[in-house]
């Protein structure tokens, strides 16, 4: 069984924020370093070999994500993937065309749409999902109520960052497809966390991080674009494109894969990471984590004034949990106190004025870590 000893994490900190930046185990960083060392032994040779190596890495990734290798490229992170989508689509939108989003989106990605699309006349329409959040199936209608004649794009997180909920993406993608609305899905928290089969899902554009829940080195993410749309999704960074030393499998790959000199090692580490997950019985890792999340949610919500983010507790199916704190909680003070006095690294923030704790559980997390959080929170809200 994987434990904290497999990671570099400091022993003196209870690390309950895997969700923000992940944490990479020793073996995966070793593999990443092997690629870097191989590159430094003969950088020019590595450059020549890179298209074939990246092709192999893309095949392994596509197999894992349930899609074709021609339809997916490695990108540095999902902020980048979202920017590619917003940049390309933003240029095609007319004044008054609408981009429908929820009010649980990641702020940096909304900034990308503002910069690339709203600045050209498009409008963001925001669907309001109340907190605590209603049962997941009800959220379909809440979001869909925001669709109008002018809706051109639906941009949503598959798993939300501020509130740790799963949005009903499959049904929304299905409805959007029928209406000719382009779907752009931010799956930053999805790979390695909840099941994903991109071809079955059928979203037009989907970006996700491997460096969060798959624990790969930072800077390993993907961008998937449905074949029919690929010609319309140009790169945000223009490099050699079809004139690069690629295998010329498609102009989509050519345009998005070679972006000038950068470190390919995090991408090349992904196939090894997928094998590592399999050899460590990933379903068991996930089940253990979800069980701990549910235990911690029960404990935290037994503290007077604290409520679960989900109205229907059966919707708690993630390795992250979020609770709503008493109204008026000073989140900055609480965050400082949890870190300075209890050495707990956890998300404490206000989302749309609601004070929230979001905690994460992965292979390195113990029940003691979570019990320490519960005790510290209980202590902080003691009458
Ligand atoms: C929903 C969501 N989108 C985008 C991001 C950005 O991820 P990255 O920094 O890897 O681009 C995050 C990071 O936490 C996120 O939670």
């Amino acid at each position: 069984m994987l434990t904290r000893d497999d990671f570099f994490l400091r022993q003196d900190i209870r690390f309950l924020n895997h969700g923000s930046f992940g944490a990479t185990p020793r073996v995966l960083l070793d593999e990443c370093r092997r690629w870097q060392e191989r590159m430094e032994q003969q950088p020019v040779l590595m450059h020549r070999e890179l298209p074939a190596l990246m092709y192999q890495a893309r095949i392994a990734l596509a197999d894992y994500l349930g899609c074709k290798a021609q339809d997916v490229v490695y990108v540095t992170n999902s902020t980048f993937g979202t920017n590619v989508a917003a940049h390309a689509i933003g240029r095609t939108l007319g004044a008054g065309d609408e981009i429908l989003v929820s009010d649980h989106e990641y702020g940096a990605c909304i900034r990308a749409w503002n910069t690339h699309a709203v600045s050209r006349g498009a409008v963001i329409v925001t669907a309001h999902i109340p907190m605590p959040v209603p049962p997941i199936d009800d959220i379909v209608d809440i979001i869909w109520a925001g669709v109008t004649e002018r809706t051109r794009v639906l941009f949503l997180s598959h798993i939300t960052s501020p509130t740790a909920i799963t949005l009903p993406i499959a049904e929304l993608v299905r409805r959007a497809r029928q209406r000719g609305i382009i779907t752009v899905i931010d799956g930053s928290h999805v790979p390695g966390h909840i099941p994903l089969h991109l071809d079955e899902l059928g979203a037009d554009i989907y970006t996700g991080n491997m460096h969060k829940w798959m624990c790969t080195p930072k800077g390993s993410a993907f961008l998937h674009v449905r074949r029919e749309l690929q010609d319309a999704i140009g790169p945000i960074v223009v490099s050699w494109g079809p004139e690069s030393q690629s295998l010329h499998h498609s102009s989509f790959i050519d345009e998005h894969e070679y972006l000038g000199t950068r470190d390919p090692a995090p991408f090349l580490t992904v196939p090894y990471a997928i094998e590592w997950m399999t050899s460590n019985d990933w379903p068991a890792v996930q089940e253990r984590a979800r069980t701990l999340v549910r235990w911690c949610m029960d404990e935290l919500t037994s503290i007077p004034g604290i409520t679960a983010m989900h109205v229907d507790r059966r919707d708690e199916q993630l390795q992250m949990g979020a609770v709503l704190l008493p109204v008026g909680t000073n989140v900055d003070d609480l965050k400082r106190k949890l870190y300075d006095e209890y050495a707990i690294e956890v998300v404490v923030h206000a989302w749309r004025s609601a004070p929230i704790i979001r905690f994460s559980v992965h292979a390195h997390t113990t029940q003691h870590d979570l019990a320490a959080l519960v005790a510290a929170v209980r202590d902080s809200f003691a009458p």
Side-chain angles (χ1 to χ4, degrees):
M1 191 178 99
L2 292 167
T3 68
R4 183 163 60 184
D5 291 343
D6 293 297
F7 293 77
F8 293 91
L9 291 165
R10 276 167 51 176
Q11 299 287 331
D12 59 335
I13 302 281
R14 299 196 183 274
F15 189 70
L16 297 177
N17 185 11
H18 188 100
S20 285
F21 305 106
T24 302
R26 296 168 195 280
V27 289
L28 295 193
L29 216 59
D30 287 346
E31 172 70 2
C32 190
R33 278 207 209 100
R34 279 194 286 274
W35 283 113
Q36 288 172 326
E37 281 168 25
R38 175 168 160 186
M39 180 161 57
E40 295 313 324
Q41 282 158 14
Q42 222 291 38
V44 176
L45 178 62
M46 178 76 171
H47 182 77
R48 276 202 295 272
E49 291 174 347
L50 200 53
L53 293 170
M54 287 296 293
Y55 177 52
Q56 292 306 323
R58 249 189 351 262
I59 289 178
L61 176 65
D63 188 49
Y64 180 70
L65 298 174
C67 68
K68 315 278 180 309
Q70 304 100 289
D71 301 337
V72 69
V73 284
Y74 281 95
V75 294
T76 305
N77 52 53
S78 53
T79 304
F80 189 95
T82 302
N83 269 271
V84 170
H87 173 255
I89 296 170
R91 294 145 74 104
T92 68
L93 298 180
D97 282 348
E98 292 172 3
I99 302 156
L100 178 59
V101 306
S102 85
D103 58 355
H104 291 231
E105 299 308 320
Y106 189 72
C109 294
I110 294 297
R111 286 194 81 231
W113 287 102
N114 280 330
T115 300
H116 299 301
V118 174
S119 66
R120 293 166 175 269
V123 175
I124 290 188
V125 173
T126 307
H128 171 63
I129 304 172
M131 291 182 283
V133 299
I136 287 196
D137 289 343
D138 295 356
I139 297 176
V140 173
D141 291 329
I142 291 175
I143 292 176
W144 198 249
V147 170
T148 73
E149 292 292 293
R150 300 300 306 266
T151 309
R152 300 284 173 267
V153 180
L154 184 59
F155 172 68
L156 292 172
S157 298
H158 199 160
I159 295 175
T160 64
S161 166
T163 47
I165 61 170
T166 308
L167 294 182
I169 294 303
E171 175 58 14
L172 287 163
V173 164
R174 195 187 62 76
R175 289 190 189 186
R177 177 66 74 79
Q178 279 176 351
R179 285 278 291 249
I181 297 170
I182 298 174
T183 44
V184 181
I185 306 301
D186 171 0
S188 291
H189 284 277
V190 170
H193 192 173
I194 58 172
L196 180 64
H197 193 291
L198 287 171
D199 281 349
E200 279 175 15
L201 182 64
D204 290 305
I205 302 183
Y206 194 108
T207 185
N209 285 326
M210 280 74 84
H211 55 225
K212 287 189 189 288
W213 298 93
M214 286 171 69
C215 300
T216 57
K218 285 152 191 60
S220 43
F222 73 88
L223 173 69
H224 178 268
V225 179
R226 215 158 53 81
R227 193 83 48 91
E228 293 80 348
L229 223 77
Q230 287 177 2
D231 286 346
I233 305 299
I236 196 162
V237 173
V238 177
S239 181
W240 287 102
E243 295 174 52
S244 64
Q245 289 183 8
S246 77
L247 302 179
H248 301 300
H249 283 155
S250 77
S251 65
F252 171 66
I253 303 291
D254 287 352
E255 291 289 3
H256 291 278
E257 189 166 273
Y258 185 74
L259 303 180
T261 308
R262 59 176 173 163
D263 185 2
F267 306 146
L268 298 173
T269 303
V270 168
Y272 185 87
I274 294 169
E275 283 172 25
W276 168 81
M277 290 162 69
T278 306
S279 64
N280 280 289
D281 192 359
W282 209 246
V285 170
Q286 294 177 312
E287 186 49 36
R288 172 187 168 277
R290 287 191 295 257
T291 304
L292 284 177
V293 168
R294 284 191 285 268
W295 177 82
C296 190
M297 287 296 295
D298 285 345
E299 292 292 315
L300 286 173
T301 54
S302 73
I303 300 171
I306 296 186
T307 49
M309 182 57 73
H310 286 285
V311 166
D312 186 343
R313 300 286 307 274
R314 286 170 304 184
D315 287 337
E316 287 166 10
Q317 296 292 339
L318 297 178
Q319 290 180 222
M320 290 193 289
V323 289
L324 292 156
L325 302 170
V327 175
T329 300
N330 183 324
V331 288
D332 294 333
D333 283 354
L334 180 60
K335 175 149 185 68
R336 208 171 302 116
K337 181 173 177 181
L338 290 179
Y339 194 76
D340 292 348
E341 294 178 25
Y342 297 91
I344 296 172
E345 182 65 77
V346 71
V347 175
V348 186
H349 70 155
W351 186 249
R352 293 192 347 242
S353 322
I356 291 171
I357 289 182
R358 186 197 79 182
F359 62 94
S360 301
V361 178
H362 212 316
H364 48 75
T365 318
T366 63
Q367 191 162 4
H368 289 303
D369 295 331
L370 297 167
L373 173 68
V374 172
V377 173
R378 203 181 286 284
D379 196 30
S380 301
F381 290 101

Coordinates of all heavy atoms in Angstrom, one line a residue, residues 10-52:
R10 N 6.7 16.7 3.8 CA 7.3 16.9 5.1 C 6.5 16.2 6.2 O 5.2 16.2 6.2 CB 7.3 18.4 5.4 CG 8.5 19.1 4.8 CD 8.4 20.6 4.9 NE 8.0 21.1 6.2 CZ 7.9 22.4 6.5 NH1 8.2 23.3 5.5 NH2 7.6 22.8 7.7
Q11 N 7.2 15.6 7.1 CA 6.5 14.9 8.2 C 5.8 15.8 9.2 O 4.9 15.4 9.9 CB 7.6 14.1 9.0 CG 8.3 13.0 8.2 CD 7.4 11.8 7.8 OE1 6.5 11.5 8.5 NE2 7.7 11.2 6.6
D12 N 6.3 17.1 9.3 CA 5.8 18.0 10.3 C 4.5 18.8 9.9 O 4.0 19.6 10.6 CB 6.8 19.0 10.8 CG 7.4 19.8 9.6 OD1 7.3 19.4 8.5 OD2 7.8 20.9 9.9
I13 N 4.1 18.5 8.6 CA 2.9 19.2 8.1 C 1.8 18.2 7.8 O 2.1 17.1 7.2 CB 3.2 20.0 6.8 CG1 4.3 21.0 7.1 CG2 1.9 20.7 6.3 CD1 3.9 22.3 7.7
R14 N 0.6 18.4 8.2 CA -0.5 17.6 7.8 C -1.0 18.2 6.5 O -1.7 19.2 6.5 CB -1.6 17.6 8.9 CG -1.1 17.0 10.2 CD -2.2 16.6 11.1 NE -1.6 16.2 12.4 CZ -1.2 14.9 12.6 NH1 -1.3 14.0 11.7 NH2 -0.7 14.6 13.8
F15 N -0.7 17.5 5.4 CA -0.9 18.0 4.1 C -2.3 17.6 3.5 O -2.4 16.5 3.0 CB 0.2 17.6 3.1 CG 0.1 18.3 1.8 CD1 0.5 19.6 1.7 CD2 -0.2 17.6 0.6 CE1 0.4 20.3 0.5 CE2 -0.3 18.3 -0.6 CZ 0.0 19.6 -0.7
L16 N -3.3 18.5 3.7 CA -4.7 18.1 3.3 C -5.1 19.0 2.1 O -6.3 19.2 1.9 CB -5.6 18.3 4.5 CG -5.3 17.4 5.7 CD1 -6.3 17.7 6.8 CD2 -5.4 15.9 5.3
N17 N -4.1 19.4 1.3 CA -4.5 20.2 0.1 C -3.8 19.6 -1.1 O -3.1 20.3 -1.8 CB -4.1 21.7 0.3 CG -4.6 22.4 -1.0 OD1 -5.4 21.9 -1.8 ND2 -4.2 23.7 -1.1
H18 N -4.0 18.3 -1.3 CA -3.5 17.7 -2.6 C -4.2 18.3 -3.8 O -3.6 18.4 -4.8 CB -3.8 16.2 -2.5 CG -3.2 15.4 -3.7 ND1 -2.0 14.7 -3.5 CD2 -3.5 15.3 -5.0 CE1 -1.7 14.2 -4.7 NE2 -2.6 14.6 -5.6
G19 N -5.4 18.8 -3.6 CA -6.2 19.2 -4.8 C -5.6 20.4 -5.5 O -5.7 20.5 -6.7
S20 N -4.9 21.3 -4.8 CA -4.4 22.5 -5.5 C -3.3 22.2 -6.5 O -3.3 22.7 -7.6 CB -4.0 23.6 -4.5 OG -5.1 24.2 -3.9
F21 N -2.3 21.5 -6.0 CA -1.1 21.3 -6.9 C -0.6 19.9 -7.0 O 0.5 19.6 -7.5 CB 0.1 22.2 -6.4 CG -0.3 23.6 -6.3 CD1 -0.5 24.2 -5.0 CD2 -0.5 24.4 -7.4 CE1 -0.8 25.6 -4.9 CE2 -0.8 25.8 -7.3 CZ -1.0 26.3 -6.1
G22 N -1.4 18.9 -6.4 CA -0.9 17.5 -6.4 C 0.2 17.4 -5.4 O 0.6 18.3 -4.7
A23 N 0.8 16.2 -5.5 CA 2.1 15.8 -4.8 C 2.6 14.6 -5.5 O 1.9 13.7 -5.8 CB 1.8 15.5 -3.3
T24 N 3.9 14.7 -5.9 CA 4.4 13.6 -6.7 C 5.3 12.6 -5.9 O 6.1 13.1 -5.1 CB 5.3 14.3 -7.8 OG1 4.5 15.2 -8.5 CG2 5.9 13.3 -8.8
P25 N 5.0 11.4 -6.1 CA 5.8 10.4 -5.4 C 7.3 10.3 -5.9 O 7.5 10.7 -7.0 CB 5.1 9.1 -5.6 CG 4.3 9.3 -6.8 CD 4.0 10.7 -6.9
R26 N 8.1 9.7 -5.1 CA 9.5 9.6 -5.4 C 9.7 8.9 -6.8 O 10.5 9.3 -7.6 CB 10.3 8.8 -4.3 CG 10.3 9.6 -3.0 CD 10.8 8.7 -1.9 NE 10.5 9.3 -0.6 CZ 11.1 10.3 0.0 NH1 12.2 10.8 -0.6 NH2 10.7 10.8 1.1
V27 N 9.0 7.8 -7.0 CA 9.3 7.0 -8.2 C 8.9 7.7 -9.5 O 9.6 7.6 -10.5 CB 8.5 5.6 -8.2 CG1 9.1 4.7 -7.2 CG2 7.0 5.8 -8.0
L28 N 7.9 8.6 -9.4 CA 7.6 9.3 -10.6 C 8.5 10.5 -10.9 O 8.8 10.8 -12.0 CB 6.1 9.8 -10.5 CG 5.0 8.7 -10.5 CD1 3.7 9.4 -10.7 CD2 5.3 7.6 -11.5
L29 N 9.0 11.1 -9.8 CA 10.0 12.1 -10.0 C 11.3 11.5 -10.5 O 12.1 12.1 -11.3 CB 10.2 12.9 -8.7 CG 10.5 14.4 -9.0 CD1 9.4 15.0 -9.7 CD2 10.7 15.1 -7.7
D30 N 11.7 10.3 -10.0 CA 12.8 9.6 -10.5 C 12.7 9.3 -12.0 O 13.7 9.5 -12.8 CB 13.0 8.2 -9.8 CG 13.5 8.3 -8.4 OD1 13.9 9.4 -8.0 OD2 13.4 7.3 -7.6
E31 N 11.5 8.9 -12.4 CA 11.3 8.6 -13.9 C 11.5 9.9 -14.7 O 12.1 9.9 -15.7 CB 9.9 8.0 -14.1 CG 9.5 7.9 -15.5 CD 10.2 6.8 -16.3 OE1 11.1 6.1 -15.7 OE2 10.0 6.6 -17.5
C32 N 10.9 11.0 -14.1 CA 11.0 12.3 -14.8 C 12.5 12.7 -14.9 O 13.0 13.1 -16.0 CB 10.2 13.3 -14.0 SG 10.0 14.9 -14.8
R33 N 13.3 12.5 -13.9 CA 14.7 12.8 -13.9 C 15.4 12.0 -14.9 O 16.4 12.4 -15.6 CB 15.3 12.6 -12.5 CG 15.1 13.8 -11.6 CD 16.2 14.0 -10.6 NE 15.6 14.6 -9.4 CZ 15.2 14.0 -8.3 NH1 15.4 12.7 -8.2 NH2 14.7 14.6 -7.3
R34 N 15.0 10.7 -15.0 CA 15.7 9.8 -16.0 C 15.5 10.4 -17.4 O 16.5 10.4 -18.2 CB 15.1 8.4 -16.0 CG 15.7 7.5 -14.9 CD 15.4 6.1 -15.1 NE 14.0 5.7 -14.7 CZ 13.5 5.5 -13.5 NH1 14.4 5.5 -12.5 NH2 12.3 5.2 -13.3
W35 N 14.3 10.9 -17.7 CA 14.1 11.5 -19.0 C 15.0 12.8 -19.2 O 15.5 13.1 -20.2 CB 12.6 11.9 -19.2 CG 11.8 10.7 -19.5 CD1 10.8 10.1 -18.8 CD2 11.8 9.9 -20.7 NE1 10.2 9.1 -19.4 CE2 10.8 8.9 -20.6 CE3 12.6 10.0 -21.9 CZ2 10.6 8.0 -21.6 CZ3 12.3 9.0 -22.9 CH2 11.4 8.0 -22.8
Q36 N 15.0 13.6 -18.1 CA 15.8 14.8 -18.2 C 17.3 14.5 -18.4 O 18.0 15.1 -19.2 CB 15.6 15.6 -16.9 CG 14.3 16.3 -16.9 CD 14.0 17.0 -15.5 OE1 14.4 16.5 -14.5 NE2 13.2 18.1 -15.6
E37 N 17.8 13.4 -17.7 CA 19.2 13.1 -17.9 C 19.5 12.6 -19.3 O 20.5 12.9 -19.9 CB 19.6 12.0 -16.8 CG 19.8 12.7 -15.5 CD 19.9 11.7 -14.3 OE1 20.3 10.5 -14.6 OE2 19.6 12.0 -13.2
R38 N 18.5 11.8 -19.8 CA 18.7 11.3 -21.2 C 18.8 12.5 -22.1 O 19.6 12.5 -23.0 CB 17.5 10.3 -21.5 CG 17.6 9.9 -22.9 CD 16.6 8.7 -23.2 NE 16.3 8.6 -24.6 CZ 15.4 7.8 -25.1 NH1 14.7 7.0 -24.3 NH2 15.2 7.8 -26.4
M39 N 17.9 13.4 -21.9 CA 17.9 14.6 -22.8 C 19.3 15.3 -22.7 O 19.8 15.8 -23.7 CB 16.8 15.6 -22.3 CG 16.7 16.8 -23.1 SD 15.0 17.6 -22.9 CE 15.0 17.8 -21.1
E40 N 19.8 15.5 -21.5 CA 21.0 16.2 -21.3 C 22.3 15.5 -21.8 O 23.3 16.1 -22.0 CB 21.2 16.7 -19.9 CG 20.2 17.7 -19.4 CD 19.9 18.8 -20.3 OE1 20.8 19.3 -21.0 OE2 18.7 19.2 -20.5
Q41 N 22.1 14.2 -22.0 CA 23.3 13.4 -22.5 C 23.6 13.8 -24.0 O 24.7 13.8 -24.5 CB 23.0 11.9 -22.5 CG 23.2 11.4 -21.0 CD 22.5 10.1 -20.8 OE1 22.1 9.4 -21.8 NE2 22.4 9.7 -19.6
Q42 N 22.5 14.1 -24.7 CA 22.6 14.5 -26.1 C 21.4 15.3 -26.5 O 20.5 14.8 -27.1 CB 22.8 13.3 -27.0 CG 23.9 13.4 -28.1 CD 23.5 14.4 -29.2 OE1 22.9 15.5 -29.0 NE2 23.9 14.1 -30.4
P43 N 21.4 16.6 -26.1 CA 20.1 17.4 -26.3 C 19.6 17.4 -27.8 O 18.4 17.4 -28.0 CB 20.5 18.8 -25.9 CG 21.6 18.6 -24.9 CD 22.4 17.4 -25.4
V44 N 20.5 17.4 -28.7 CA 20.1 17.5 -30.1 C 19.5 16.1 -30.6 O 18.4 16.1 -31.2 CB 21.2 17.9 -31.1 CG1 20.8 17.8 -32.5 CG2 21.7 19.3 -30.7
L45 N 20.1 15.0 -30.1 CA 19.5 13.7 -30.5 C 18.1 13.6 -29.9 O 17.2 13.1 -30.5 CB 20.5 12.6 -30.0 CG 20.0 11.2 -30.2 CD1 19.9 10.9 -31.7 CD2 20.9 10.2 -29.6
M46 N 18.0 14.0 -28.6 CA 16.7 13.9 -27.9 C 15.7 14.7 -28.7 O 14.6 14.3 -28.9 CB 16.9 14.5 -26.5 CG 15.6 14.5 -25.7 SD 15.2 12.8 -25.1 CE 13.8 13.2 -24.1
H47 N 16.1 15.9 -29.2 CA 15.2 16.7 -30.0 C 14.7 15.9 -31.2 O 13.5 16.0 -31.6 CB 15.9 18.0 -30.4 CG 15.0 18.9 -31.1 ND1 14.0 19.7 -30.5 CD2 14.9 19.2 -32.5 CE1 13.4 20.4 -31.4 NE2 13.9 20.1 -32.6
R48 N 15.6 15.2 -31.8 CA 15.2 14.4 -33.0 C 14.3 13.3 -32.7 O 13.4 12.9 -33.4 CB 16.5 13.9 -33.7 CG 17.2 14.9 -34.7 CD 18.0 14.2 -35.7 NE 19.2 13.5 -35.1 CZ 20.4 14.1 -34.9 NH1 20.6 15.3 -35.1 NH2 21.4 13.4 -34.4
E49 N 14.6 12.7 -31.5 CA 13.8 11.5 -31.1 C 12.4 11.9 -30.5 O 11.5 11.1 -30.4 CB 14.6 10.7 -30.1 CG 15.8 10.0 -30.7 CD 16.6 9.3 -29.6 OE1 16.4 9.5 -28.4 OE2 17.5 8.5 -30.0
L50 N 12.3 13.2 -30.2 CA 11.1 13.6 -29.4 C 9.8 13.3 -30.1 O 8.9 12.8 -29.4 CB 11.3 15.1 -29.0 CG 10.4 15.5 -27.9 CD1 10.6 14.7 -26.6 CD2 10.7 17.0 -27.6
P51 N 9.6 13.6 -31.4 CA 8.3 13.3 -32.0 C 7.8 11.9 -31.8 O 6.7 11.6 -31.4 CB 8.5 13.6 -33.5 CG 9.6 14.7 -33.4 CD 10.5 14.2 -32.3
A52 N 8.8 10.9 -31.9 CA 8.4 9.5 -31.8 C 8.1 9.2 -30.3 O 7.2 8.4 -30.0 CB 9.5 8.6 -32.3

